[in-house]
């Protein structure tokens, strides 16, 4: 990766001023002790400047993360000039928060490395939302799997007719109930063709009472399977309306 322009001694003071609202600290290269600390860092992490300056940077990390920072992240910052990552950080009270961490190598006027500047942002709220969203997706997937198992065990097919787009949806079980293969691409017309001739009118017009009343409509019809065998279906339908009442 291309090396970014390193910061020189004195530049980090300006950097702290331009990073208002972000936790900023400067760590000495040789001792790994913290030499600078801003008000945002105090607010996010909990340490006052007089409490943390002079302490080893590992005070704000788990032992595993401190080792990763020391052996990998700082080495990458030396090689590239700058490195970014996200991980857990420790507050003064021992609680953890998810943070974006930006580490920049600092050099003096002679080009000698003298420390690192770390800029951090508390991303705990974003992390919480991401975890909640992932949990919701897992729950939906579990419910879908349970629904699929229930419809298969109960031989229940699901059909949806979108009047606005003109598209129809049939689940696998509905295809099977009409005598098609589970992965069939049979259309509504294909399925209607398998309805017993005397039952086709009601099969086609069932949408009318559901739209007029908004209530669930129940009816029965017969399906002629390949080979001529009759299968009796009992169905229920209900109209769905958008916010405008369509």
């Amino acid at each position: 990766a291309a090396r970014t322009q390193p910061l020189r001694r004195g530049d980090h003071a300006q950097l702290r001023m331009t990073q208002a609202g972000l936790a900023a600290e400067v760590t000495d290269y040789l001792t790994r002790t913290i030499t600078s600390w801003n008000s945002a860092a105090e607010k996010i992490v909990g340490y006052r400047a007089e409490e943390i300056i002079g302490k080893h940077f590992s005070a704000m990390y788990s032992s595993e993360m401190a080792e990763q920072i020391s052996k990998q992240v700082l080495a990458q910052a030396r090689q590239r000039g700058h490195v970014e990552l996200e991980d857990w950080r420790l507050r003064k009270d021992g609680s953890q928060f998810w943070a974006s961490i930006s580490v920049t190598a600092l050099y003096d006027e002679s080009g000698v490395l003298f420390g690192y500047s770390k800029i951090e942002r508390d991303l705990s709220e974003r992390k919480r939302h991401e975890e909640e969203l992932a949990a919701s997706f897992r729950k939906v997937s579990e419910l879908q799997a349970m629904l699929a198992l229930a419809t298969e065990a109960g031989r229940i097919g699901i059909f949806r007719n979108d009047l606005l787009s003109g598209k129809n949806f049939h689940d696998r079980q509905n295809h099977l109930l009409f005598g098609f293969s589970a992965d069939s691409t049979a259309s509504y017309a294909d399925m209607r063709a398998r309805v017993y001739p005397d039952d086709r009118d009601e099969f086609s017009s069932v949408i009318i009472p559901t739209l007029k009343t908004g209530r669930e409509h129940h009816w029965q019809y017969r399906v002629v399977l390949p080979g001529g065998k009759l299968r009796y279906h009992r169905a229920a339908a209900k109209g769905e309306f958008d916010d405008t009442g369509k």
Side-chain angles (χ1 to χ4, degrees):
R3 180 188 177 100
T4 59
Q5 183 66 29
L7 291 181
R8 302 297 179 181
R9 185 180 295 274
D11 293 343
H12 60 276
Q14 179 64 28
L15 182 144
R16 292 200 309 278
M17 289 187 288
T18 61
Q19 295 291 342
L22 302 182
E25 64 184 81
V26 175
T27 302
D28 183 87
Y29 169 59
L30 295 177
T31 64
R32 300 291 199 269
T33 56
I34 297 169
T35 60
S36 178
W37 189 258
N38 73 351
S39 59
E42 177 180 333
K43 181 178 179 180
I44 294 174
V45 185
Y47 289 101
R48 297 192 304 275
E50 58 268 25
E51 293 179 299
I52 196 67
I53 289 178
K55 287 190 175 182
H56 196 271
F57 80 92
S58 61
M60 297 170 296
Y61 297 94
S62 66
S63 57
E64 296 82 2
M65 187 59 186
E67 184 176 3
Q68 179 186 354
I69 290 285
S70 181
K71 292 185 176 180
Q72 300 178 23
V73 177
L74 298 186
Q76 292 174 2
R78 290 195 300 273
Q79 296 168 1
R80 305 174 187 174
H82 177 79
V83 65
E84 295 182 355
L85 69 153
E86 291 186 9
D87 214 313
W88 293 106
R89 284 288 311 271
L90 287 178
R91 293 189 177 93
K92 178 183 177 181
D93 62 9
S95 63
Q96 291 186 322
F97 67 98
W98 187 257
S100 67
I101 306 170
S102 175
V103 182
T104 302
L106 303 175
Y107 296 84
D108 63 17
E109 293 78 2
S110 301
V112 177
L113 178 69
F114 70 87
Y116 302 92
S117 170
K118 290 199 288 294
I119 306 298
E120 300 185 356
R121 184 190 299 271
D122 186 352
L123 300 181
S124 300
E125 192 67 13
R126 191 201 73 181
K127 181 73 170 175
R128 183 178 66 82
H129 287 310
E130 289 176 347
E131 291 176 346
E132 289 177 351
L133 185 60
S136 296
F137 278 129
R138 287 195 298 271
K139 186 174 182 179
V140 169
S141 297
E142 291 171 358
L143 291 174
Q144 288 176 333
M146 292 172 63
L147 177 60
L149 181 61
T151 56
E152 182 178 354
R155 300 184 70 183
I156 300 172
I158 298 175
F159 166 71
R160 186 172 187 177
N161 182 8
D162 190 327
L163 298 179
L164 297 180
S165 67
K167 296 181 179 179
N168 298 310
F169 165 77
H170 304 265
D171 72 349
R172 293 167 56 88
Q173 186 62 28
N174 204 51
H175 283 134
L176 293 174
L177 290 176
F178 279 83
F180 296 99
S181 63
D183 57 355
S184 169
T185 58
S187 65
Y188 171 81
D190 295 329
M191 293 188 173
R192 184 180 183 280
R194 291 199 173 176
V195 174
Y196 191 75
D198 292 347
D199 300 340
R200 286 177 187 168
D201 287 344
E202 184 176 7
F203 181 83
S204 302
S205 61
V206 68
I207 191 66
I208 297 175
T210 63
L211 294 180
K212 283 184 176 180
T213 66
R215 294 193 298 267
E216 191 171 276
H217 178 69
H218 298 260
W219 80 106
Q220 296 184 21
Y221 59 91
R222 292 160 289 183
V223 171
V224 183
L225 299 175
K229 181 180 178 180
L230 285 180
R231 174 177 286 167
Y232 289 79
H233 286 190
R234 182 169 60 186
K238 186 176 182 180
E240 295 180 344
F241 302 86
D242 62 18
D243 295 336
T244 65
K246 292 184 178 179

